[in-house]
Amino acid sequence: MARRDDSVMRDLPSTQPVRPNILIVKLGAFGNIILSMAAFAAIRRHHADARISVLTSPAFAGWLRTFPYFDDVLVDPRPSRWDFAATRRLARMLADGRFGRVYDLQTSVRSSRYLHLFPARQRPDWSGIAYGCSLPDRDPRRNSLHDMDRQEGQLRQAGITDFAPPDMSWCRGDIGRFGLPRDFAVLVPGSSPNRLAKRWPAARYQALAAMLRDRGIAPVVIGSAAEQQLAAEIPAAIDLTGQTGFGDLADMARAACFAVGNDTGPMHLLATAGCPAITLFSRDSNPALCAPRGRWTRVLQRDDLTDLPVEAVLESLPQESEAEPVQA
């Protein structure tokens, strides 16, 4: 029997198909990431056999590693234009990914600039609005569309056609440790500290919490640890500020009667995970572009949220049949 020549065998070309590398750019913010869930899933279905990476901000990298859509998470160091060393490191990271296609779902000035960090001979197909990209979003209405509609339109122009409502059933936490009553409602009184005009006054949340408690619905305040002082102004509610992770919020969404909150990231997660959600908007943001979406959502808007009475919120609460929790 002839002896196999292992050195020749090692030199033979592999018959395994090359797995394409895809990059999604989504830097933030929290609410914008939630509004990209349907786009993430559509890209995953369209490129079922690909290795898909996502480029995001440090604050969201850990959470995005739990998403079922990505094989790898890359962290954007967000170098300034004048930090040439950091920019070169970012360019090297992008080049090393050997990406054949990039879906820029951020479509910002910064993210568009990243196309030109790739070597000219290694420049991938690029879906977005970057100058000279191969798969541009040509919709002249894109800046007036809701974030989810704009992303779907962008991806359709790149050849992706299979879209479905966002599914967050994979996102789980452990709310049993909080010992919440069967009937509870989530209140989200915070927002970015740089955009205080987006906040309904804490005194109104306190009045709402007291009325809900009188109706047998336990109000629960959630938010970051930095918002604990804000929660202290709502003593009628259970204070869980600084205690809930992303998975906990998803579980609360599936169990709560409803949620009321300002235009801020947690409201997007709650609504997308299935909680009936009423979001309060001031003139500081436009619900036509960025309102939460889910199985039951409602928007109340005033130019100045101090003009929004508690009674208007009470009248907008979902009916009992509409507020049935997704799960017990």
Side-chain angles (χ1 to χ4, degrees):
M1 177 181 295
R3 184 175 65 85
R4 184 183 70 177
D5 188 338
D6 288 335
S7 64
V8 173
M9 294 296 291
R10 285 195 298 268
D11 292 338
L12 291 176
S14 172
T15 58
Q16 295 296 319
V18 176
R19 191 182 185 193
N21 290 328
I22 305 295
L23 178 65
I24 298 172
V25 180
K26 194 63 188 179
L27 307 179
F30 180 23
N32 299 112
I33 288 176
I34 299 297
L35 291 176
S36 296
M37 289 290 185
F40 294 154
I43 293 170
R44 177 77 274 177
R45 285 191 297 271
H46 187 77
H47 296 284
D49 298 325
R51 180 174 183 81
I52 298 181
S53 302
V54 61
L55 177 69
T56 193
S57 300
F60 305 112
W63 186 41
L64 265 62
R65 289 190 177 97
T66 70
F67 283 31
Y69 313 117
F70 313 127
D71 299 290
D72 195 15
V73 174
L74 307 180
V75 176
D76 176 19
R78 298 181 65 84
S80 72
R81 284 181 174 271
W82 316 117
D83 190 343
F84 302 117
T87 299
R88 283 194 297 270
R89 288 194 294 271
L90 174 60
R92 173 50 56 192
M93 180 176 69
L94 294 175
D96 287 347
R98 299 186 180 279
F99 300 111
R101 177 171 291 194
V102 175
Y103 294 99
D104 177 11
L105 300 182
Q106 192 70 28
T107 56
S108 64
V109 172
R110 171 181 288 276
S111 63
S112 295
R113 195 167 69 240
Y114 289 175
L115 168 63
H116 302 284
L117 294 181
F118 286 90
R121 294 183 180 180
Q122 200 179 328
R123 196 158 289 168
D125 288 337
W126 186 284
S127 168
I129 60 171
Y131 177 77
C133 69
S134 58
L135 298 168
D137 181 358
R138 300 184 185 279
D139 190 338
R141 306 166 302 146
R142 70 178 313 278
N143 291 331
S144 62
L145 295 175
H146 187 278
D147 204 11
M148 289 182 65
D149 299 330
R150 183 176 66 251
Q151 291 180 75
E152 179 174 336
Q154 174 186 335
L155 295 183
R156 286 187 181 279
Q157 292 175 77
I160 296 178
T161 58
D162 182 10
F163 292 87
D167 174 18
M168 293 196 66
S169 59
W170 52 269
C171 187
R172 296 282 173 175
D174 176 23
I175 62 171
R177 69 188 191 278
F178 299 133
L180 296 174
R182 184 178 68 90
D183 295 326
F184 70 92
V186 181
L187 304 183
V188 189
S191 69
S192 166
N194 298 321
R195 301 184 70 181
L196 297 181
K198 296 174 73 172
R199 295 185 180 184
W200 197 38
R204 304 283 172 82
Y205 276 106
Q206 165 61 11
L208 175 62
M211 293 176 185
L212 293 178
R213 193 176 58 182
D214 290 343
R215 295 183 179 190
I217 299 174
V220 179
V221 171
I222 62 97
S224 68
E227 292 167 340
Q228 289 177 340
Q229 182 55 48
L230 181 61
E233 300 179 46
I234 313 171
I238 299 168
D239 179 9
L240 292 184
T241 52
Q243 301 177 58
T244 54
F246 298 119
D248 296 324
L249 294 183
D251 278 355
M252 292 177 72
R254 289 183 279 262
C257 296
F258 52 83
V260 177
N262 305 324
D263 172 30
T264 187
M267 286 301 294
H268 288 278
L269 193 156
L270 292 164
T272 302
C275 189
I278 299 175
T279 309
L280 314 180
F281 278 80
S282 71
R283 68 164 71 91
D284 207 51
S285 50
N286 185 352
L289 303 180
C290 61
R293 287 188 174 179
R295 70 183 179 104
W296 190 100
T297 59
R298 184 165 292 173
V299 166
L300 295 179
Q301 185 170 28
R302 300 290 189 276
D303 284 347
D304 185 337
L305 280 175
T306 61
D307 295 332
L308 178 65
V310 176
E311 292 73 20
V313 177
L314 284 171
E315 291 171 2
S316 298
L317 295 179
Q319 299 300 311
E320 187 173 349
S321 60
E322 298 172 318
E324 290 182 0
V326 175
Q327 66 173 24

